[in-house]
């Protein structure tokens, strides 16, 4: 499969690119800066410089053309402003979904956040982040032209992945290593029967492939 990843230089995306490349897939990562390209190549991915905060729908659709799946893993990141939570975590996700529709790429996986809700109250930056993620999720879920799956991980850690998770519509809060998030995304991309599901993810006791098959009804 050819899989295009928005936010290709992110911590989860780089892990995902390594997994996809090792699995024989063609990973393409969209990045904001050319100096990020070597990290993607080292992960086995093809870098494409394309800033989702300034690109047009047509430009993003061109990058997606011919892909078998699209993964939105971009984020404004810690320390960013309320404004960038909206332009990246919401608007860029909507743009990426628009472009996927235009390019005819149906399989669409979104890395969201536990607690994402467009009506979330609060004045802190993290509150704005949850509203932005919630708004993006609502936009993606409204699209009949996409076979979408929305993944909402718990608290991300850099601990080594265990490959053991809990993946359900509602898991309750908990931590999850980025390694395991990437492994779940890789499995979801190849499991189209998870389309139409919004899933929460924390560490647990079930192997990744078994957990994904379970939510897919397989």
């Amino acid at each position: 499969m050819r899989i295009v990843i928005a936010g290709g230089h992110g911590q989860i995306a780089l892990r995902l690119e390594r997994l996809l490349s090792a699995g024989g897939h063609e990973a393409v990562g969209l990045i904001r800066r050319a100096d990020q390209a070597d990290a993607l190549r080292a992960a086995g991915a093809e870098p494409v410089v394309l800033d989702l905060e300034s690109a047009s729908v047509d430009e993003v659709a061109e990058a997606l053309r011919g892909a078998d799946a699209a993964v939105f893993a971009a984020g404004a990141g810690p320390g960013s402003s309320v404004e960038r939570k909206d332009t990246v975590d919401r608007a860029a996700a909507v743009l990426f979904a628009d472009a996927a529709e235009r390019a005819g790429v149906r399989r669409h996986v979104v890395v969201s956040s536990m607690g994402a809700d467009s009506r979330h109250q609060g004045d802190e930056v993290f509150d704005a982040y949850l509203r932005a993620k919630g708004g993006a999720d609502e936009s993606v879920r409204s699209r009949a032209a996409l076979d979408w799956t929305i993944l909402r991980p718990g608290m991300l850690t850099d601990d080594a992945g265990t490959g053991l998770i809990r993946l359900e519509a509602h898991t309750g809060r908990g931590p999850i290593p980025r390694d395991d998030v990437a492994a779940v995304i890789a499995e979801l991309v190849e499991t189209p029967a998870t389309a139409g599901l919004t899933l929460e993810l924390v560490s647990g006791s079930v192997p990744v492939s078994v957990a994904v098959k379970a939510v897919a009804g397989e």
Side-chain angles (χ1 to χ4, degrees):
M1 296 173 68
R2 179 177 173 87
I3 300 154
V4 177
I5 303 158
H9 190 254
Q11 295 185 68
I12 290 172
L14 287 169
R15 289 167 166 83
L16 174 62
E17 288 153 3
R18 285 191 286 270
L19 288 174
L20 293 174
S21 177
H25 297 296
E26 184 181 351
V28 179
L30 306 186
I31 53 177
R32 293 178 60 226
R33 305 194 315 268
D35 63 4
Q36 298 170 331
D38 285 347
L40 270 74
R41 293 190 186 100
E46 173 193 340
V48 173
V49 179
L50 188 63
D51 187 347
L52 294 178
E53 287 183 271
S54 59
S56 69
V57 174
D58 285 337
E59 287 172 327
V60 183
E62 187 58 35
L64 282 161
R65 212 166 301 284
D68 299 293
V71 176
F72 186 83
S80 56
S81 65
V82 167
E83 290 75 22
R84 289 202 71 228
K85 298 303 184 194
D86 187 68
T87 58
V88 179
D89 292 291
R90 186 196 60 79
V94 172
L95 173 72
F96 194 60
D98 288 341
E101 286 187 315
R102 188 163 299 188
V105 181
R106 291 198 62 95
R107 189 71 183 114
H108 197 84
V109 177
V110 175
V111 183
S112 182
S113 174
M114 196 172 288
D117 182 351
S118 64
R119 293 165 294 281
H120 179 83
Q121 299 298 307
D123 301 321
E124 301 298 321
V125 173
F126 190 68
D127 298 319
Y129 168 75
L130 292 177
R131 283 193 294 272
K133 281 293 194 185
D137 292 352
E138 287 176 8
S139 175
V140 170
R141 284 196 294 241
S142 72
R143 299 165 188 262
L146 298 180
D147 294 331
W148 53 264
T149 304
I150 293 171
L151 182 66
R152 293 179 165 177
M155 184 183 72
L156 300 171
T157 75
D158 288 326
D159 297 337
T162 66
L164 298 173
I165 63 166
R166 183 178 177 193
L167 181 70
E168 298 170 15
H170 300 288
T171 61
R173 296 191 176 276
I176 181 76
R178 288 179 173 87
D179 287 350
D180 290 334
V181 177
V184 170
I185 297 166
E187 198 78 28
L188 288 173
V189 164
E190 294 191 80
T191 312
T194 59
L197 300 179
T198 299
L199 300 166
E200 294 184 350
L201 170 65
V202 294
S203 291
S205 59
V206 181
V208 168
S209 60
V210 175
V212 172
K213 284 182 172 64
V215 295
E218 296 179 357

